[in-house]
Amino acid sequence: MDQERLTIVVAAFNEADSLPALQPRIAAVLDALARDGVEGQVLYVDDGSRDATWQVMQQLAAGDRRVALLRLSRNFGKELALTAGLDRIDEGAALILDADGQDPPELIPQFVDRWREGYDDVHGTRLEREGEGWLKRATAHAFYRVIGMLSKTPIPADTGDFRLLSPRALHALQQLRERHRFMKGLFGWVGYNRIAIPYHRDPRAAGRSKFNFWRLWNLALEGITSFSTAPLRLATYLGLLTALVAFLYGVVIIVKALFWGDPVAGWPTMMSVILFLGGVQLIALGVIGEYLGRLYDEAKQRPLYLVDSWQPARPARSAHALDEGDRVQRLRGSAVD
Ligand code: UDP
Ligand code: MG
């Protein structure tokens, strides 16, 4: 029998309070999956936490053989922590889960069902965002609309990282080695058969959100610059527009000077024009700079992350032993026949 495998990847940064509550829920799901013929394991990635997260993880691993641990050398951010986790999976499907219990693990069997139906990218779509202020909701809403308009890659709205990737989608994702990783966009880029599962996103179980407005703003910039060059084109159009206005205004000045002479005046107009053009130029330069900076980062070719330690899961029966058992079973069966 071909055993289906699933690895649940959980990136955690300072989640010592949340993990002990999460692990029993995951373990229950893994038990249910095992009864359903899916060999599941969970991989916790410690993204350079400064609290007791790593110690907590080790306790969890000691208590359950299906727990694998990966620790990064420092805090690399959620996107890279997830990448590090996904890179470690060389067999079967992957499922990404937040450490704070906001994505209910109890839904995982539904994701697996969809995978079995032939979908490669099963993603959870939030029906509402509990425990988040109206400002965060409004800005998130605006962001998904803007990126939807700017980017040619389909990026579904209100979809986080809670998703299952089939082996081939995972393999495709592992080949995307860009440094500036806007994961939602990368998932979209991979394509294949995609389907959404609507779900209610719970409030955080413990601790605080790591994403304040500044980080979210940067994430939004990352998303737009990674998946669209529209801002560069916007700079061109803005330049064309100001050139056109400047030309028309120049005609007005010349005509005025021809008919009414050229007394020295116009200090206010001159100042406003100079300041306006200066501002437009700086904005355009800034936009170019955003892209140039990212190009610079890519050009350095540094590794995406560094691993501090790696502790694989210790399945009770290895895949090999299982195959052996199967064969013995089959031999016995044929002997009886
Ligand atoms: N996270 C991480 N590295 C970071 C920041 C966050 O691995 O630098 C993890 C965090 O532990 C959690 C997930 O990313 O499992 C989502 O973070 P959070 O709940 O703070 O974000 P929110 O749900 O508020 O968007
Ligand atoms: Mg959260």
Side-chain angles (χ1 to χ4, degrees), residues 32-207:
L33 288 178
R35 285 192 292 275
D36 204 18
V38 180
E39 190 186 330
Q41 57 172 40
V42 53
L43 165 54
Y44 288 110
V45 184
D46 177 8
D47 185 16
S49 299
R50 287 183 273 274
D51 65 356
T53 299
W54 181 245
Q55 286 75 12
V56 171
M57 284 181 177
Q58 277 177 321
Q59 283 164 16
L60 299 180
D64 193 329
R65 310 177 70 91
R66 298 166 298 186
V67 174
L69 301 182
L70 183 67
R71 187 187 203 188
L72 302 185
S73 65
R74 63 171 173 84
N75 179 242
F76 281 91
K78 181 182 180 188
E79 321 266 310
L80 286 174
L82 283 179
T83 306
L86 294 174
D87 283 348
R88 291 279 155 172
I89 306 175
D90 35 39
E91 243 187 306
L95 188 133
I96 302 169
L97 193 72
D98 269 6
D100 55 10
Q102 282 195 284
D103 307 324
E106 291 74 25
L107 289 182
I108 292 176
Q110 280 187 39
F111 283 65
V112 172
D113 286 344
R114 293 297 184 179
W115 170 36
R116 283 179 163 162
E117 284 167 21
Y119 289 100
D120 296 281
D121 176 339
V122 188
H123 47 270
T125 300
R126 299 183 267 258
L127 286 172
E128 82 288 304
R129 295 160 157 252
E130 265 180 62
E132 291 177 354
W134 67 268
L135 192 60
K136 184 164 181 181
R137 283 201 295 251
T139 43
H141 182 85
F143 168 70
Y144 284 116
R145 296 310 170 280
V146 169
I147 190 117
M149 279 189 311
L150 293 184
S151 149
K152 288 191 208 80
T153 310
I155 297 172
D158 292 325
T159 300
D161 294 325
F162 186 25
R163 70 179 70 215
L164 182 146
L165 297 170
S166 73
R168 66 172 179 170
L170 174 66
H171 182 69
L173 192 75
Q174 284 167 343
Q175 288 172 308
L176 305 181
R177 302 317 292 172
E178 56 206 83
R179 257 126 275 261
H180 286 271
R181 304 182 76 78
F182 181 64
M183 296 296 270
K184 299 178 211 298
L186 297 182
F187 296 132
W189 187 90
V190 166
Y192 292 132
N193 302 325
R194 319 182 50 167
I195 191 163
I197 292 189
Y199 75 106
H200 293 268
R201 192 162 159 88
D202 300 326
R204 233 176 189 285

Side-chain angles (χ1 to χ4, degrees), residues 205-218:
R208 298 158 32 92
S209 170
K210 274 83 197 173
F211 287 86
N212 56 25
F213 267 98
W214 183 240
R215 276 186 89 155
L216 282 175
W217 167 250
N218 283 324

